[in-house]
Amino acid sequence: MRLQLLNPAMLKGMLGMVAGHELSVKQRKPHVRRLIYIALPCAILLALANYLKSGYPLPGLIFALIAALTLGAAFFLSMQDKLLAMAESLLLLFALGTSVALGLLGGIAGSGVLWIYAFPFLALWLKGQRQGAQWSLLWLLSVSLSIWSAGEFSFGYPYEEQFKIQASVALLLYTGIALAYNFSRSQLEEKLYVSEQGVQAKKRDYLTKLEQAAYQDGVTGLPNRLRLLELLHKEINIAQERGHTLLVAHIRLKKMFETANIIGADASDKLIRNIAATMTAAVGSRGSFARIRRDEFVCIYRKHSEDITATDIIKEILDFRLEYKINEYAVHIDHTIGIASFPRHGQDAETLLRKASQAMLQAQFAHQSLAFFDERQEQQFTRQQQLFVQLHEALHKGGLSLHYQALIDLKTGAVVGAEALARWIDPVSGPVTPAEFIPIAEKSGLIKPFTLWVIREAFGQLARWRAEDLNLSVSINLSARCIVDRQLVDDLCALLTEFNLPAESIILELRESSFADAAETAMLTIQNLHTLGFRLSIDDFGAGYSSLAHLKDLKVDELKIDQSFMRTMGIDASSRAIVLSTIQLAHNLNLKVVAEGIESARVEQQLQEMGCDLGQGYYFCKPMPADVFSQWARSWQINRRAVLSA
Ligand code: C2E
Ligand code: MG
Ligand code: MG
């Protein structure tokens, strides 16, 4: 402390010569008030003591009066911020006056000076370091003078010479201590204030960052889903007030995951930023964007009329090509857009967003780039979702069955095989056709367990027929998703062994479209199945985009001509020509031909004349449960023998 006092900077600080120690009005006001609350009772007590005890009734009264007037005035002045300094000065003047008076009069036996040492502390507390120091020095001079000159007056107290020196030194010491104390205190306060400011600034910073993270997409800086809901809510209110229409467009970027895998994470962020910039620039001030998932954006667009077509939207609003060069990669991103409009499709933000995203899914399923929300498609979508859940349950709880439809040798009339066709009667939705539930199984990934179930069921049935001496082949339909499943071959082999069946008794039916995608994998599976001895058949031949090149390379055994040709054969010469050519083509390639969908004796006869090998259709029998089929097949064989021997 001694060393610090010698320090000139410290001295300057103590005298308030360093800026920044002044207190604010807000801090000073309670100081004044508190001082008045303490000073008033003290002054009254002092006045009372003088009045009653020390035998100075008149000075006691005068002092009480002055105290009440000055402190009262200071109280009222402190009510106004502008007059606060005056209130402080009044208080200090009162204290200074009291000090000088006590110095002159000496109080009771010269003890008056003992009461005045608090002044520098009060002055510094009230006025801050600079003015406090000035007041303190003034006080030091005035009180010292009053003590030293008291003897000159008749009413003054006759201090001893030594006392005057001791009192003056004590006054000086107290002033010094008060200045040093207040300076250190205010320095400490300042440090605390600075660190508090730092903490507050950090807090604000964290809060801003948290808010940004909660409401903003980190990569593009666009609002995120949470913020989007607020924005959309506001836009709906404005649109309601002004009678506007709003379009909510859900945009999904295609193959972003694959692209990101190729170009890398950083480049993919850059790509997303570029895409966001392109889209926001295209829409401009007419709409606003949000990024709601990695590859999904939402655009809210204000429109004056609801009368807008998909073409208008593409041209007017969402006219952007997403083509970039990122790290030497030329990247082109396709997108699908689903649109819902306010007020037509919904009144609140959540509904509009949900319907826009459903419209986007509808567009995706229909392989379109843009779709408006469609109520009917939504119902279909909901039904598909329901059916998916129910199908899942049916598959695991035995709610599915297989029906069998006969394959007839058109030359001998014998039943040579049966096609296994899946049947599903849902307890809630009733019978659901394969045309409806097979695509659901294919889309949802249920097709693998479903096909495995069909294969196991059909193999089991075939094993029972063989045990009962009913020698048939069983045809099983395989969907495109199964043929690219490498596990399929192993599963088939395992089940073949389990049921002790020859592979030749199994015909696997595939549609031509199965070879379109992932041709190589499909070809490999077919090659493996052929090597294992399974017979392969091309179902619905001629219905899709037939590729004759496939026929040359594929190891298939049979062609099943699509039933649409049988339906038109009677009336359409070109259908007949196609059927005949297909039969000849198949025979030239050493393949068997099956005609499906035979519904009349006439069509059967025409096919026989054309040399078709096998036939299937309602004319012979409809698909039926296994036990009914067994009975039917036995009686058919007996009747056929009877016809042949007749
Ligand atoms: P598909 O394999 O071409 O089966 C023939 C379809 O034609 C069957 O319909 C059968 O009932 C029907 N049909 C047979 N003869 C006639 C006829 O004379 N007239 C008419 N109008 N129809 C006839 P279904 O059972 O409704 O099956 C439809 C399609 O669903 C099947 O066509 C097949 O592609 C698929 N499917 C059925 N079961 C399965 C299965 O277990 N797995 C797979 N992946 N697909 C299956
Ligand atoms: Mg079939
Ligand atoms: Mg077919």
Side-chain angles (χ1 to χ4, degrees):
M1 186 68 190
R2 213 160 65 85
L3 269 175
Q4 273 188 335
L5 270 174
L6 292 177
N7 180 343
M10 176 78 182
L11 271 174
K12 271 175 121 181
M14 279 165 54
L15 294 171
M17 290 159 83
V18 183
H21 296 304
E22 299 302 330
L23 299 173
S24 69
V25 169
K26 214 175 142 200
Q27 287 168 300
R28 279 155 52 201
K29 208 171 210 169
H31 288 186
V32 171
R33 293 284 168 84
R34 260 177 244 154
L35 195 66
I36 293 170
Y37 297 147
I38 297 167
L40 198 62
C42 287
I44 291 168
L45 277 176
L46 192 68
L48 261 179
N50 278 320
Y51 186 77
L52 298 172
K53 267 204 150 181
S54 67
Y56 290 110
L58 191 63
L61 257 174
I62 295 170
F63 178 72
L65 204 66
I66 294 172
L69 281 174
T70 335
L71 296 178
F75 185 85
F76 284 111
L77 287 173
S78 73
M79 283 177 174
Q80 285 190 45
D81 290 355
K82 272 191 281 177
L83 303 177
L84 189 68
M86 213 183 265
E88 291 164 351
S89 303
L90 206 58
L91 281 176
L92 287 177
L93 265 176
F94 172 66
L96 186 69
T98 312
S99 301
V100 170
L102 283 170
L104 275 173
L105 299 173
I108 304 160
S111 65
V113 283
L114 298 176
W115 300 95
I116 61 179
Y117 292 116
F119 185 91
F121 292 96
L122 287 183
L124 289 158
W125 192 51
L126 277 181
K127 286 284 192 185
Q129 193 73 24
R130 182 179 300 173
Q131 288 187 41
Q134 289 161 4
W135 275 95
S136 299
L137 292 175
L138 179 67
W139 167 84
L140 179 64
L141 284 174
S142 324
V143 177
S144 302
L145 203 67
S146 68
I147 293 171
W148 282 94
S149 62
E152 304 292 322
F153 305 101
S154 58
F155 54 84
Y157 186 78
Y159 295 106
E160 280 178 25
E161 215 48 30
Q162 209 167 357
F163 181 83
K164 285 182 197 168
I165 298 167
Q166 284 167 352
S168 301
V169 172
L171 289 179
L172 187 67
L173 203 69
Y174 274 112
T175 310
I177 290 171
L179 286 175
Y181 164 75
N182 198 63
F183 179 59
S184 316
R185 188 187 59 84
S186 53
Q187 259 193 335
L188 186 71
E189 253 179 23
E190 206 174 306
K191 270 188 198 156
L192 283 174
Y193 179 73
V194 169
S195 81
E196 173 69 10
Q197 289 295 306
V199 171
Q200 290 299 335
K202 257 192 191 164
K203 265 192 199 165
R204 274 195 301 275
D205 197 39
Y206 284 139
L207 213 65
T208 322
K209 279 187 183 145
L210 265 174
E211 262 177 13
Q212 278 176 353
Y215 286 111
Q216 226 179 42
D217 165 49
V219 178
T220 58
L222 288 174
N224 63 10
R225 199 189 142 77
L226 210 62
R227 181 95 185 93
L228 170 71
L229 278 168
E230 282 179 10
L231 288 176
L232 187 54
H233 187 67
K234 270 189 207 155
E235 288 285 355
I236 289 172
N237 285 343
I238 297 172
Q240 243 159 2
E241 273 169 26
R242 299 187 188 162
H244 281 179
T245 291
L246 283 182
L247 296 179
V248 179
H250 186 126
I251 303 160
R252 176 182 269 175
L253 308 174
K254 285 188 191 169
K255 304 217 162 135
M256 264 312 288
F257 183 70
E258 289 86 338
T259 311
N261 260 342
I262 297 168
I263 64 175
D266 286 346
S268 137
D269 283 352
K270 196 172 158 193
L271 175 65
I272 285 287
R273 275 194 288 275
N274 281 335
I275 290 173
T278 310
M279 294 197 298
T280 41
V283 172
S285 60
R286 295 167 298 171
S288 46
F289 272 90
R291 186 182 180 211
I292 55 165
R293 275 190 211 104
R294 187 185 166 81
D295 51 359
E296 289 174 36
F297 291 81
V298 166
C299 171
I300 308 170
Y301 187 84
R302 284 161 235 118
K303 195 88 188 105
H304 290 276
S305 104
E306 252 189 89
D307 206 10
I308 186 162
T309 65
T311 336
D312 290 338
I313 291 176
I314 302 249
K315 265 200 222 147
E316 245 187 77
I317 316 170
L318 305 164
D319 178 21
F320 35 71
R321 289 180 72 77
L322 307 175
E323 286 174 342
Y324 309 94
K325 191 148 181 116
I326 307 263
N327 296 355
E328 301 306 310
Y329 289 102
V331 185
H332 170 86
I333 300 289
D334 274 330
H335 55 276
T336 314
I337 304 171
I339 294 182
S341 77
F342 167 84
R344 199 198 310 169
H345 296 131
Q347 303 288 322
D348 62 283
E350 271 94 357
T351 310
L352 284 169
L353 282 175
R354 186 169 48 80
K355 294 199 168 172
S357 78
Q358 273 174 15
M360 193 274 299
L361 288 176
Q362 288 166 5
Q364 239 175 18
F365 281 131
H367 301 288
Q368 288 166 350
S369 58
L370 185 142
F372 268 97
F373 174 75
D374 181 342
E375 203 72 53
R376 279 163 310 163
Q377 282 201 37
E378 196 208 5
Q379 282 162 7
Q380 207 180 326
F381 192 73
T382 319
R383 177 171 161 84
Q384 284 188 359
Q385 292 300 312
Q386 262 173 3
L387 287 182
F388 162 67
V389 177
Q390 290 160 351
L391 180 61
H392 192 271
E393 212 173 271
L395 187 59
H396 291 97
K397 293 190 179 161
L400 297 170
S401 64
L402 283 186
H403 278 198
Y404 295 87
Q405 189 181 25
L407 279 132
I408 309 288
D409 185 326
L410 291 180
K411 288 189 191 85
T412 62
V415 185
V416 290
E419 178 171 5
L421 295 159
R423 291 292 176 263
W424 175 28
I425 301 173
D426 182 73
V428 183
S429 308
V432 188
T433 64
E436 190 172 15
F437 73 78
I438 297 286
I440 293 173
E442 279 173 343
K443 264 184 227 159
S444 64
L446 269 184
I447 195 72
K448 279 190 195 176
F450 167 76
T451 307
L452 213 59
W453 172 83
V454 172
I455 296 172
R456 173 175 279 282
E457 195 72 14
F459 276 24
Q461 188 55 55
L462 182 61
R464 282 192 288 282
W465 280 334
R466 284 168 66 86
E468 293 164 14
D469 253 356
L470 198 58
N471 267 327
L472 298 171
S473 65
V474 158
S475 300
I476 296 169
N477 292 287
L478 291 183
S479 78
R481 287 277 296 269
C482 301
I483 205 76
V484 289
D485 175 16
R486 290 170 198 276
Q487 183 66 34
L488 176 80
V489 179
D490 294 345
D491 290 341
L492 278 166
C493 287
L495 287 169
L496 215 53
T497 320
E498 185 181 328
F499 289 101
N500 194 22
L501 293 172
E504 298 74 40
S505 61
I506 310 295
I507 301 173
L508 301 171
E509 293 192 9
L510 303 163
R511 302 172 105 188
E512 285 170 293
S513 53
S514 311
F515 321 117
D517 302 327
E520 253 177 60
T521 331
M523 296 288 208
L524 198 73
T525 315
I526 289 167
Q527 176 68 51
N528 287 340
L529 292 171
H530 174 79
T531 315
L532 288 164
F534 289 101
R535 281 152 67 192
L536 291 149
S537 171
I538 298 186
D539 204 354
D540 304 341
F541 186 80
Y545 297 100
S546 306
S547 163
L548 295 179
H550 276 146
L551 275 188
K552 181 169 66 69
D553 300 328
L554 281 173
K555 302 284 181 209
V556 294
D557 305 84
E558 185 181 275
L559 285 190
K560 279 186 100 167
I561 308 175
D562 189 63
Q563 43 185 288
S564 58
F565 296 104
M566 310 314 139
R567 247 171 259 143
T568 49
M569 254 174 76
I571 44 159
D572 183 10
S574 53
S575 282
R576 279 197 300 278
I578 292 173
V579 172
L580 181 63
S581 315
T582 311
I583 293 169
Q584 285 168 352
L585 171 78
H587 285 166
N588 288 339
L589 290 169
N590 245 342
L591 307 177
K592 281 236 151 65
V593 191
V594 185
E596 53 179 344
I598 303 174
E599 291 188 359
S600 65
R602 189 172 141 69
V603 172
E604 186 204 5
Q605 197 193 338
Q606 282 178 329
L607 287 163
Q608 275 168 341
E609 284 163 13
M610 289 178 187
C612 184
D613 305 294
L614 300 163
Q616 178 183 352
Y618 292 173
Y619 174 62
F620 306 111
C621 67
K622 286 198 169 181
M624 46 198 146
D627 48 346
V628 184
F629 179 87
S630 319
Q631 283 172 15
W632 176 88
R634 276 181 228 287
S635 67
W636 175 273
Q637 303 290 52
I638 294 163
N639 288 342
R640 187 188 66 91
R641 262 187 224 125
V643 172
L644 281 179
S645 56

